[in-house]
Amino acid sequence: MTMSDDDILVPRKSRSGSRSRMGSEARGPIIDQEGHEIRPETLDQGFREFRFEFGKDNPFGNLTREQRIARLEAIAKLLDVAFILPGTNIRYGIDGLIGLIPVVGDIITTAISLWLVREARALGAPWYITARMLGNVAVDGVVGMVPFAGDAFDVMFRANMRNVRLLRRWLDKQPRM
C-alpha cells in the first residue's frame, strides 16, 4: 500500500474531524521552561519572537575596531604560540596539538583560521591582504594534513600569527579617523 502525495503533504484529519496540529490535541496550557504559559496563537509565529539577552555584558556585541583586533591577536596566539616546549625555546599552540588528530584536527584548525580571515575582511582588509591570508591558511591546512611532519610544520609556520601581522601592518598604514 503506497501513500499518495496528498497524504504526505497534507496532515491527516484526526478522529474528531479537525486536522491535527502541534498542541491542538494537548489538554491544558502550554508551559515554557521558566513556567510561564505560552499562548497557542504565538506558536504559529515560530522563532520570530526568540531573543537571547546577554544584558550589559554582551561578548558578541558591538566591539570597537581595537577590541576586535585584540580578539584576533589573542586567538592567533592561542592557536600558534600559547605554550613553550619544556627545556627548549620552541613555542607551539593548540593548532599543533589539535593537528595531531588525523584529518579532523586539521579541518578544525583550518576552519578557525578561516574565521580569522573572515574577521579581517569584516575589518575592511582589502582583497590582496585577504588573498595572502588565505594562502597562508591553505599552506598550513594542506601541509598540516601530512602526519607528524605536518604538525611540526604547523608549529614552525604559524599561519595565524602571520595573518594577524599582515592585518596589523595594513591597519597601521591606514589613516586614523
Side-chain angles (χ1 to χ4, degrees):
M1 182 173 159
T2 61
M3 295 179 88
S4 70
D5 289 338
D6 292 335
D7 289 337
I8 295 171
L9 299 175
V10 179
R12 292 187 177 190
K13 293 185 178 184
S14 66
R15 291 183 183 161
S16 65
S18 65
R19 292 187 182 217
S20 61
R21 290 185 52 171
M22 186 175 85
S24 65
E25 296 177 7
R27 298 185 187 190
I30 301 169
I31 307 295
D32 67 3
Q33 291 179 347
E34 296 173 356
H36 304 292
E37 184 176 342
I38 299 174
R39 296 186 317 263
E41 58 270 8
T42 61
L43 291 176
D44 291 334
Q45 296 177 359
F47 289 105
R48 279 183 262 162
E49 292 185 13
F50 178 75
R51 278 186 235 104
F52 194 82
E53 299 287 334
F54 284 104
K56 65 178 180 157
D57 298 326
N58 183 351
F60 304 108
N62 297 329
L63 298 176
T64 65
R65 186 180 187 113
E66 288 302 317
Q67 288 172 329
R68 291 174 80 176
I69 295 167
R71 180 176 62 178
L72 293 178
E73 288 174 343
I75 292 171
K77 286 179 183 176
L78 178 66
L79 286 170
D80 291 340
V81 293
F83 312 108
I84 299 175
L85 193 62
T88 66
N89 208 15
I90 299 173
R91 299 188 71 91
Y92 65 97
I94 61 172
D95 188 1
L97 295 175
I98 295 173
L100 290 172
I101 302 168
V103 181
V104 175
D106 294 307
I107 290 172
I108 291 170
T109 56
T110 301
I112 296 170
S113 297
L114 288 172
W115 177 80
L116 291 173
V117 175
R118 182 204 153 287
E119 283 292 306
R121 188 69 182 152
L123 284 169
W127 67 270
Y128 61 92
I129 297 292
T130 53
R132 286 185 63 188
M133 293 172 81
L134 286 172
N136 288 337
V137 171
V139 168
D140 186 42
V142 170
V143 176
M145 294 271 186
V146 177
F148 299 113
D151 299 316
F153 179 79
D154 280 344
V155 170
M156 298 302 169
F157 186 63
R158 300 177 181 162
N160 299 302
M161 292 299 293
R162 287 174 185 256
N163 287 344
V164 168
R165 200 173 324 119
L166 277 171
L167 179 64
R168 180 55 86 174
R169 284 182 190 156
W170 176 78
L171 286 171
D172 288 344
K173 292 178 183 176
Q174 302 306 309
R176 299 282 179 185
M177 286 186 228

